[in-house]
Amino acid sequence: MNCVKFLLFLELVFYFNNKVFAQGSCLKTYTNISIYGNDLNGVQGTISQCCQLCQQKLGCRAYTWDSFNGGTCWLKSATQPLSKVDPHGSGYSITGILSPSVNETYTLNQTYAAPNFFDTWHFDGWGLTNVTRDVDKQTAQNLGMIGYQNGKVYIGLDHKNVYNTTGRPSIMLQTNYLYNSGLFVLSLDHMPTGPGTWPAFWTAGPNWPNHGEIDILEGVSNMTSNLVTIHVGDNCYEKTNDSMFFTGIWNGDKSKPYFNCYQYAKKSSNQTIIFDIALCGSWVSLFIPGGEAACEEMVNKHPELYTEAYWLINYVKVFCKPNEPCGFYEPKCEFQC
Ligand SMILES: *[C@@H]1O[C@H](CO)[C@@H](O)[C@H](O)[C@H]1NC(C)=O
Ligand SMILES: *[C@@H]1O[C@H](CO)[C@@H](O)[C@H](O)[C@H]1NC(C)=O
Ligand SMILES: *[C@@H]1O[C@H](CO)[C@@H](O)[C@H](O)[C@H]1NC(C)=O
Ligand SMILES: *[C@@H]1O[C@H](CO)[C@@H](O)[C@H](O)[C@H]1NC(C)=O
Ligand SMILES: *[C@@H]1O[C@H](CO)[C@@H](O)[C@H](O)[C@H]1NC(C)=O
Ligand SMILES: *[C@@H]1O[C@H](CO)[C@@H](O)[C@H](O)[C@H]1NC(C)=O
Ligand SMILES: *[C@@H]1O[C@H](CO)[C@@H](O)[C@H](O)[C@H]1NC(C)=O
Ligand SMILES: *[C@@H]1O[C@H](CO)[C@@H](O)[C@H](O)[C@H]1NC(C)=O
């Protein structure tokens, strides 16, 4: 799968040098996009009046205009959640977002990229399924599973050797930093594909699922859409399905009931960022003729099916707000760090 850019955990984002603004300027508007709820109030007015009305209203960060009551500027305390549907059913809507305050400005904190990507992540071995044989750095190097190609980071499976029953060597990489907030941008050129593959870019906390799991980019075999999922405790489960973008807010205390489950997502804490390529397992095998046994046999015996099962990463960038340190160093390694 060829990918462009995935913007993660974000409010609306604009780049300028190495700064990312949590909101755009008043001049930038979005047609037929609405912000649901988070109304400070609704003021009758034309589209061109909304920005100023928002600027004059304490706590206003954005507005949605629609034709309700002859034209209404809905002044919003938040820039989320965005929707393509107009909540008042009038069809046409415009959303504008105000320039950020300094405290709302994200600044680049870390860049994970060549040439030292593999020094800043550790190799872990969760072995998510019984044919996913996560290996350490040395083994990965020896088998040609990791490397740098034209300034990009390559992470793949062993696609050369036959493994009779032991499972195929794979990789689970985790950041040495743990995160509790932030803006994360992944740019990649290639995502793993191949029958029985289950690649993911995701985060997880130490006490699963109570500390949360955010699946940002996840697919199975040759699936053409992305599965975005938030897993948490308390029987809460949230999934959206968008092949390109996931938007949402993850910011500690400021809980907002965007999703039924949003109240639980704030429990996500001390998250490591993870790249992995799992193989088969009960879910993935549903997509394989013959089920799990056939999937495992295929994975073990057919290295030639896995030449496309690799990540090719330009970078992962982490942005933080001032006064809100978003990550701290605490490597948790199964293999040596
Ligand atoms: C916005 O929605 C209205 C009503 O459905 C439609 O007539 C209009 O073409 C849409 N505009 C854009 C730019 O999508
Ligand atoms: C930014 O945050 C700091 C520390 O929390 C606070 O003292 C300051 O008033 C804030 N500035 C603005 C413009 O909100
Ligand atoms: C792999 O694990 C599944 C349970 O997820 C089990 O049913 C299956 O027998 C295992 N396969 C082998 C070869 O051990
Ligand atoms: C797999 O089995 C074949 C034939 O039985 C054998 O030649 C080969 O060495 C085995 N491979 C591994 C990795 O055990
Ligand atoms: C995915 O693979 C399955 C099984 O090999 C095949 O039937 C299907 O057409 C493929 N789908 C796409 C979108 O390539
Ligand atoms: C996700 O969306 C795609 C494209 O609209 C659709 O084909 C697919 O069935 C959806 N998957 C799920 C799990 O809803
Ligand atoms: C996150 O890690 C820090 C440092 O180890 C620890 O003090 C804190 O309790 C952890 N947070 C949670 C929710 O476990
Ligand atoms: C990144 O954030 C960490 C943790 O808050 C901080 O210690 C470090 O100085 C920051 N680095 C940069 C380049 O901003």
Side-chain angles (χ1 to χ4, degrees), residues 111-121 137 148 153:
T111 300
Y112 294 108
N116 65 346
F117 185 91
F118 295 107
D119 303 329
T120 52
W121 298 59
K137 188 176 183 179
Y148 301 113
V153 178

Side-chain angles (χ1 to χ4, degrees), residues 178 180 206-207 210-211 267-271 328-330 332:
L178 303 182
N180 285 298
N207 175 16
N210 296 313
H211 284 164
K267 290 184 182 171
S268 301
S269 53
N270 290 353
Q271 304 274 301
F328 62 93
Y329 186 76
E330 189 169 291
K332 291 258 168 42

Side-chain angles (χ1 to χ4, degrees), residues 101-103 323:
S101 76
V102 170
N103 285 356
N323 310 315

Side-chain angles (χ1 to χ4, degrees), residues 69-309:
N69 203 10
T72 301
C73 302
W74 300 96
L75 306 183
K76 306 285 184 176
S77 61
T79 59
Q80 296 274 334
L82 296 174
S83 166
K84 287 176 184 160
V85 182
D86 170 15
H88 302 102
S90 47
Y92 181 67
S93 68
I94 292 272
T95 285
I97 293 177
L98 295 194
S99 302
S101 76
V102 170
N103 285 356
E104 298 292 334
T105 303
Y106 288 92
T107 304
L108 182 64
N109 180 273
Q110 281 165 304
T111 300
Y112 294 108
N116 65 346
F117 185 91
F118 295 107
D119 303 329
T120 52
W121 298 59
H122 59 264
F123 288 69
D124 223 319
W126 291 13
L128 285 174
T129 71
N130 51 18
V131 284
T132 308
R133 185 146 68 85
D134 296 322
V135 297
D136 63 16
K137 188 176 183 179
Q138 191 59 54
T139 308
Q141 264 163 355
N142 294 346
L143 291 171
M145 297 163 65
I146 57 172
Y148 301 113
Q149 295 183 353
N150 302 320
K152 298 165 197 287
V153 178
Y154 175 96
I155 303 168
L157 297 176
D158 172 4
H159 58 81
K160 301 199 177 84
N161 296 301
V162 171
Y163 292 88
N164 295 318
T165 55
T166 55
R168 182 158 296 284
S170 183
I171 283 169
M172 168 167 279
L173 275 178
Q174 297 191 34
T175 49
N176 290 330
Y177 275 77
L178 303 182
Y179 296 96
N180 285 298
S181 67
L183 168 68
F184 303 80
V185 177
L186 164 64
S187 170
L188 73 158
D189 280 7
H190 190 277
M191 176 171 175
T193 61
T197 56
W198 176 19
F201 174 69
W202 51 299
T203 76
N207 175 16
W208 190 94
N210 296 313
H211 284 164
E213 170 187 333
I214 306 174
D215 299 332
I216 299 153
L217 178 57
E218 179 177 10
V220 166
S221 292
N222 55 4
M223 192 178 271
T224 55
S225 60
N226 182 24
L227 293 175
V228 177
T229 313
I230 295 175
H231 295 275
V232 290
D234 302 321
N235 300 319
C236 174
Y237 182 78
E238 183 63 41
K239 174 156 66 179
T240 62
N241 178 6
D242 185 315
S243 60
M244 287 299 290
F245 296 108
F246 167 60
T247 61
I249 293 177
W250 172 36
N251 62 351
D253 302 328
K254 301 176 206 161
S255 75
K256 296 196 177 67
Y258 298 154
F259 308 123
N260 291 337
C261 298
Y262 189 84
Q263 55 183 311
Y264 299 111
K266 70 185 178 188
K267 290 184 182 171
S268 301
S269 53
N270 290 353
Q271 304 274 301
T272 54
I273 308 175
I274 305 171
F275 279 103
D276 80 310
I277 312 172
L279 295 158
C280 302
S282 54
W283 177 50
V284 178
S285 299
L286 296 174
F287 301 87
I288 302 296
E292 193 161 358
C295 188
E296 292 178 351
E297 172 83 1
M298 179 175 66
V299 160
N300 279 326
K301 298 278 172 59
H302 292 280
E304 75 283 1
L305 296 175
Y306 300 102
T307 54
E308 289 293 318

